[in-house]
């Protein structure tokens, strides 16, 4: 879309031995700033489909590619139950998509929802084509993050690797850090509708955040090895209890206590849509950086 630009120019006219300045107007059309081209890697997944819808609705960005090993050849718009097709087929070749979009010279971001084993190569490919990356892949190894950090630093390309895209989860983590300086006892209780890797990434992140702050928690119960007491994460006595029951929302609760007082922090996730505001924020911010950033909270 073009933007109309108008400027006023004073013009001098000579009439009856005196000079008069009359403003004139000149207008020109200038191209507006191009939108961010977004490639969704893992587009056929539930979170990938939600991302397609969110990016399509967001101002200043558009879906430019869909990559997955499922539903190959299907239009991603139809896969997402959109009223009209996006005319973007799902392709299982990331390099082909990157090469095609790089020819447009547009600002582009690759959103990676794939697997820890493929993240490093995916980000390297995106960087080689001059594109930034947003990586939301649970259980990615810290060695991989360190290797990617060095690579992005050398290439001067932006990349966000984040354990969560949920702004609510980040706010809970920040509140937990603040509370940890005032309480000597803490336990994390999480619930999920289906079995997965436990403790969850959220619980691990909270435990890591409130550990190594000079506080030893649950001193009276620190040495017990009774399984019913939950798993201890780290060396500071943070315990995590994980429940799996059909119908439960994905929930994380942190209990802090001291004699006569209990302070409770809770965050529930009822739909993958809760991750989309964080994703849109990440896409907008990652194009402005020239290195790897770990954690969406750095952009809040």
């Amino acid at each position: 879309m073009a933007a109309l630009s108008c400027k006023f120019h004073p013009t001098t006219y000579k009439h009856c031995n005196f000079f008069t300045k009359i403003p004139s107007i000149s207008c020109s059309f200038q191209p507006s700033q191009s939108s961010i081209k977004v490639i969704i890697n893992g587009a056929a997944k539930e979170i990938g489909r939600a991302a397609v819808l969110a990016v399509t609705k967001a101002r200043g960005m558009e879906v430019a590619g869909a990559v997955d090993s499922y539903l190959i050849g299907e239009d991603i718009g139809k896969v997402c139950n959109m009223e009209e097709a996006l005319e973007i087929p799902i392709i299982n070749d990331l390099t082909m998509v990157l090469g095609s979009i790089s020819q447009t010279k547009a600002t582009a971001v690759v959103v990676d929802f794939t697997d820890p084993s493929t993240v490093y190569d995916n980000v390297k490919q995106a960087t080689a084509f001059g594109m930034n990356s947003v990586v939301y892949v649970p259980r990615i190894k810290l060695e991989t993050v360190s290797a990617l950090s060095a690579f992005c630093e050398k290439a001067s390309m932006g990349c966000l690797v984040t354990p969560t895209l949920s702004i609510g989860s980040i706010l809970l983590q920040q509140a937990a850090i603040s509370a940890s300086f005032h309480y000597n006892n803490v336990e994390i209780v999480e619930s999920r509708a289906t079995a997965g890797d436990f403790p969850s990434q959220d619980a691990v992140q909270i435990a890591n955040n409130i550990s190594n702050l000079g506080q030893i928690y649950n001193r009276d119960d620190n040495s017990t090895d009774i399984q019913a007491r939950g798993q201890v994460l780290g060396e500071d006595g943070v315990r995590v209890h994980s429940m799996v029951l059909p119908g439960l929302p994905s929930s994380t609760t942190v209990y802090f206590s001291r004699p006569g007082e209990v302070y409770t922090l809770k965050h529930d996730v009822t739909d993958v849509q809760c991750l989309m505001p964080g994703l849109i924020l990440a896409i907008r911010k990652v194009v402005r950086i020239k290195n790897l950033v770990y954690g969406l909270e750095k952009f809040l």
Side-chain angles (χ1 to χ4, degrees):
M1 181 180 293
L4 181 64
S5 175
C6 299
K7 295 183 179 181
F8 289 86
H9 305 281
T11 303
T12 303
Y13 294 91
K14 183 178 180 181
H15 179 67
C16 297
N17 297 323
F18 63 91
F19 293 88
T20 303
K21 288 188 175 181
I22 301 176
S24 63
I25 303 175
S26 64
C27 298
S28 61
F29 283 92
Q30 298 176 347
S32 61
Q33 185 177 7
S34 60
S35 60
I36 302 173
K37 309 290 185 182
V38 181
I39 301 96
I40 309 295
N41 193 3
K45 296 182 177 181
E46 180 184 10
I47 188 172
R49 298 195 301 271
V52 169
L53 293 173
V55 170
T56 302
K57 296 176 182 178
R59 180 171 52 87
M61 62 183 68
E62 62 179 286
V63 177
V67 182
D68 210 304
S69 57
Y70 299 96
L71 302 177
I72 298 172
E74 297 289 330
D75 184 276
I76 189 60
K78 293 298 185 181
V79 170
C80 296
N81 296 320
M82 299 177 67
E83 292 183 0
E84 297 182 3
L86 289 180
E87 298 183 359
I88 299 175
I90 297 176
I91 298 175
N92 65 344
D93 189 336
L94 177 61
T95 304
M96 180 183 298
V97 176
L98 297 178
S100 175
I101 296 174
S102 67
Q103 296 177 7
T104 66
K105 307 297 182 181
T107 301
V109 173
V110 179
V111 178
D112 197 322
F113 295 133
T114 57
D115 183 85
S117 63
T118 62
V119 166
Y120 184 78
D121 289 337
N122 292 343
V123 174
K124 283 188 66 175
Q125 286 191 65
T127 302
F129 282 99
M131 301 180 191
N132 299 315
S133 298
V134 173
V135 178
Y136 175 60
V137 178
R139 303 295 175 178
I140 184 172
K141 295 181 179 179
L142 291 181
E143 305 90 83
T144 302
V145 176
S146 298
L148 284 176
S149 180
F151 182 80
C152 292
E153 186 78 25
K154 185 176 181 180
S156 295
M157 290 297 298
C159 176
L160 170 67
V161 178
T162 182
T164 182
L165 286 170
S166 167
I167 294 176
S169 177
I170 293 172
L171 294 176
L172 181 145
Q173 292 175 25
Q174 293 174 342
I177 293 173
S178 298
S180 67
F181 294 101
H182 305 284
Y183 294 91
N184 297 323
N185 297 280
V186 59
E187 305 225 356
I188 302 172
V189 179
E190 60 179 357
S191 65
R192 300 291 184 269
T194 57
D197 292 330
F198 290 106
S200 69
Q201 185 67 49
D202 285 348
V204 172
Q205 188 72 18
I206 294 169
N208 289 339
N209 286 342
I210 64 177
S211 296
N212 303 315
L213 298 177
Q215 176 76 281
I216 301 298
Y217 305 98
N218 310 318
R219 289 180 181 272
D220 295 338
D221 191 32
N222 199 356
S223 60
T224 182
D225 57 358
I226 300 174
Q227 292 184 351
R229 289 293 300 116
Q231 179 178 345
V232 177
L233 295 183
E235 299 178 355
D236 294 344
V238 181
R239 292 186 176 276
V240 179
H241 308 263
S242 302
M243 297 189 300
V244 180
L245 289 171
L248 284 178
S250 294
S251 178
T252 303
T253 305
V254 187
Y255 294 92
F256 291 94
S257 75
R258 58 189 174 196
E261 182 180 32
V262 177
Y263 178 52
T264 305
L265 301 170
K266 186 177 182 181
H267 178 243
D268 294 336
V269 174
T270 59
D271 193 276
V272 73
Q273 293 295 330
C274 76
L275 305 180
M276 296 304 106
L279 175 63
I280 298 302
L281 174 65
I283 294 171
R284 296 194 196 282
K285 295 291 188 179
V286 78
V287 298
R288 304 178 185 178
I289 61 176
K290 300 295 183 181
N291 60 329
L292 184 142
V293 172
Y294 185 80
L296 181 63
E297 63 273 11
K298 306 297 194 309
F299 292 151
L300 296 182

